[in-house]
DNA sequence: AATGAAGGCAACCGCAGAAGG
DNA sequence: GCCTTCTGCGGTTGCCTTCAT
């Protein structure tokens, strides 16, 4: 099991390959095959170690190498295989004709890994990160909003209940006498705040029921706990803590002009999940069976926090009911899953930078 | 236009396992 | 069975390019 001495030899050239060296290596291998890499440099007239020649050939000169940007399909394949195989770049490369393990490794380290981290996923496990600080920016924004919400509630006699305050504002706006467009703006703001409030509640219930993770010891009714839950919501959506299913963000359906299309981007900024995606997510969460296989077959998808945006098809009589429905949608949900979660104002959210960022 | 930061990628390093003597 | 050599793999580094200030 001794180490190869070839690279320890002095006098051998290192560093970038020149076109002349490439030409020599290419010409020799095309004519004779690589044979023994150790003897190849001498036979080919190269002042390089065999290892360097092999690397140059396999990563650059090989004629079947596909160069250029990775396609969305390749990207998805890498994500999927990495969630299964981990850093087995050579194994992953066998599923991507024309791509080298080195190229895939670089692509992972420079693109995919960063994007997973940005989305709050652990790039190694493909599961939502549970560390608190990952969601700090969202938490700060949420804390600010919550303060504003509380102020609104106090002013309106809501007794400090933000949801009630939102409802009150909603009533005022919908009552017709609220002052026209200004009332509508207030209603939109109230809706957004309520939306966030629901996220807090939903996440808090998730944390409480999961009984694990960073915020597990905190009360769901405590404001801090809610924020901690929001951290979980921001980072892991409603994927239950302790889930053994790795989650890989993937291409999702986008509603564009009334049509649903598959976005070419694996990490869309503001994904709108199709009903199929939602069902897959519910299966992932144990609501409808399927488990890891469902994930694997489906290619994975963003967890159900994004489901909240897929509510354009249904209306509800009482907007506030949506909260409780959402809070239990991570698994309780009545038959048919959460795909039909009613929510009457999604169009307001998709354009909102904060919501977009949050999602 | 100059400069520093960040991103991207090719190449190197070192470990581990397989193969052969 | 042991030792040496060879090959493959994954992690890391360093250089070049691009972007932002």
């Amino acid at each position: 099991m001794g180490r190869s001495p070839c690279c320890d030899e002095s006098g051998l050239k290192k560093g970038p390959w020149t076109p002349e060296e490439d030409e020599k290596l290419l010409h020799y291998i095309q004519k004779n095959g690589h044979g023994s890499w150790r003897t190849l440099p001498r036979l080919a007239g190269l002042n390089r170690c065999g290892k360097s020649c092999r690397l140059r050939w396999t990563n650059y000169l090989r004629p079947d190498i596909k160069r250029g940007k990775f396609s969305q399909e390749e990207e998805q394949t890498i994500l999927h295989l990495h969630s299964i195989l981990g850093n087995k770049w050579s194994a992953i490369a066998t599923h991507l004709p024309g791509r080298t393990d080195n190229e895939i490794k670089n692509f992972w380290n420079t693109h995919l890994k960063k994007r997973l981290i940005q989305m709050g996923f652990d790039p190694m496990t493909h599961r939502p990160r549970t560390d608190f600080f990952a969601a700090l920016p969202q938490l700060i924004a949420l804390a600010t909003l919550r303060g504003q919400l509380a102020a609104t509630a106090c002013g309106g006699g809501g007794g400090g209940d933000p949801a009630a305050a939102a409802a009150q504002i909603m009533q005022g706006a919908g009552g017709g006498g609220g002052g026209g467009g200004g009332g509508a703006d207030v209603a939109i703001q109230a809706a957004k705040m309520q939306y966030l409030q629901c996220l807090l509640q939903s996440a808090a219930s998730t944390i409480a029921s999961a009984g694990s993770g960073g915020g597990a010891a905190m009360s769901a009714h405590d404001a801090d706990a809610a924020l901690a839950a929001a951290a979980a919501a921001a980072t892991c959506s409603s994927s239950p803590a302790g889930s053994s299913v790795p989650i890989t963000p993937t291409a999702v359906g986008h509603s564009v002009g009334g049509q649903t299309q598959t976005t070419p981007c694996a990490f869309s900024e503001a994904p709108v999940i199709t009903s199929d995606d939602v069902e897959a997510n519910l299966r992932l969460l144990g609501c409808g069976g399927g488990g890891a296989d469902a994930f694997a077959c489906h290619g994975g998808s963003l967890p159900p926090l994004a489901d909240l945006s897929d509510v354009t098809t249904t209306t509800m009589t009482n907007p506030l009911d949506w909260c409780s429905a959402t809070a239990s949608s991570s698994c309780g949900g009545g038959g048919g899953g959460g795909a039909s979660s009613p929510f009457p104002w999604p169009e307001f959210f998709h354009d909102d930078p904060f919501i977009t960022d949050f999602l």
Side-chain angles (χ1 to χ4, degrees):
Chain A
M1 189 173 6
R3 287 225 340 259
S4 169
C6 69
C7 290
D8 298 335
E9 295 171 8
S10 59
L12 294 179
K13 188 183 177 192
K14 293 181 180 178
W17 281 65
T18 64
E20 291 75 23
E21 287 176 315
D22 282 344
E23 179 63 29
K24 280 184 181 177
L25 180 60
L26 193 59
H27 186 257
Y28 179 85
I29 292 179
Q30 283 177 343
K31 191 175 179 181
N32 307 294
H34 62 72
S36 166
W37 286 112
R38 188 176 175 79
T39 58
L40 184 146
R42 182 170 45 83
L43 297 174
L46 289 162
N47 189 30
R48 295 266 184 179
C49 71
K51 206 170 181 177
S52 180
C53 293
R54 180 177 58 81
L55 225 59
R56 184 63 179 174
W57 170 257
T58 56
N59 288 337
Y60 196 82
L61 295 176
R62 235 173 52 200
D64 59 331
I65 285 181
K66 187 198 296 182
R67 310 208 65 86
K69 293 186 68 175
F70 281 76
S71 68
Q72 294 304 317
E73 289 74 19
E74 289 174 318
E75 202 172 285
Q76 289 305 313
T77 302
I78 294 170
L79 280 167
H80 185 205
L81 291 175
H82 187 272
S83 71
I84 299 169
L85 301 170
N87 292 1
K88 302 293 181 186
W89 307 118
S90 59
I92 294 172
T94 60
H95 292 82
L96 292 165
R99 299 293 188 183
T100 68
D101 54 355
N102 201 43
E103 194 176 11
I104 293 169
K105 180 174 60 181
N106 284 333
F107 183 63
W108 172 266
N109 286 328
T110 57
H111 294 91
L112 300 181
K113 187 178 176 182
K114 289 177 184 175
R115 276 193 258 171
L116 281 176
I117 292 172
Q118 281 178 354
M119 293 184 69
F121 287 88
D122 184 331
M124 293 312 294
T125 64
H126 288 242
R127 292 175 193 162
R129 293 168 63 185
T130 54
D131 54 304
F132 178 87
F133 292 101
L136 204 50
Q138 286 94 337
L139 288 179
I140 292 169
L142 273 176
T144 304
L145 258 175
R146 188 180 173 83
Q148 294 173 352
L149 198 56
T152 303
C154 290
D161 181 359
Q168 194 170 38
I169 296 171
M170 284 292 290
Q171 279 185 335
D185 287 343
V186 171
I188 291 169
Q189 292 301 319
K192 290 174 179 175
M193 290 185 180
Q194 186 192 351
Y195 178 68
L196 292 168
Q197 183 71 10
C198 290
L199 291 178
L200 290 173
Q201 287 186 9
S202 176
S205 65
T206 300
I207 294 288
S209 62
S212 63
M218 291 182 278
S219 164
H221 297 291
D222 185 87
D224 292 336
L227 285 176
T235 55
C236 73
S237 302
S238 59
S239 178
S243 166
S244 61
V245 181
I247 297 171
T248 301
T250 185
V252 294
H254 269 229
S255 293
V256 177
Q259 293 181 327
T260 299
Q261 63 182 32
T262 301
T263 175
C265 177
F267 298 94
S268 62
E269 291 293 321
V272 177
I273 307 299
T274 64
S275 59
D276 288 342
D277 289 302
V278 172
E279 288 176 11
N281 276 328
L282 289 171
R283 286 196 297 274
L284 280 175
L285 293 169
C287 298
D293 287 343
F295 162 75
C297 294
H298 197 267
S301 56
L302 286 171
L305 197 157
D307 299 351
L308 301 176
S309 60
D310 185 47
V311 289
T312 57
T313 56
T314 337
T315 57
M316 63 191 304
T317 53
N318 180 6
L320 294 180
D321 289 345
W322 179 80
C323 247
S324 54
T326 305
S328 61
S329 69
S330 62
C331 255
S340 60
S341 299
F343 198 59
W345 43 67
E347 64 274 19
F348 298 142
F349 298 156
H350 295 161
D351 295 330
D352 187 283
F354 176 73
I355 297 296
T356 300
D357 184 54
F358 192 86
L359 290 175

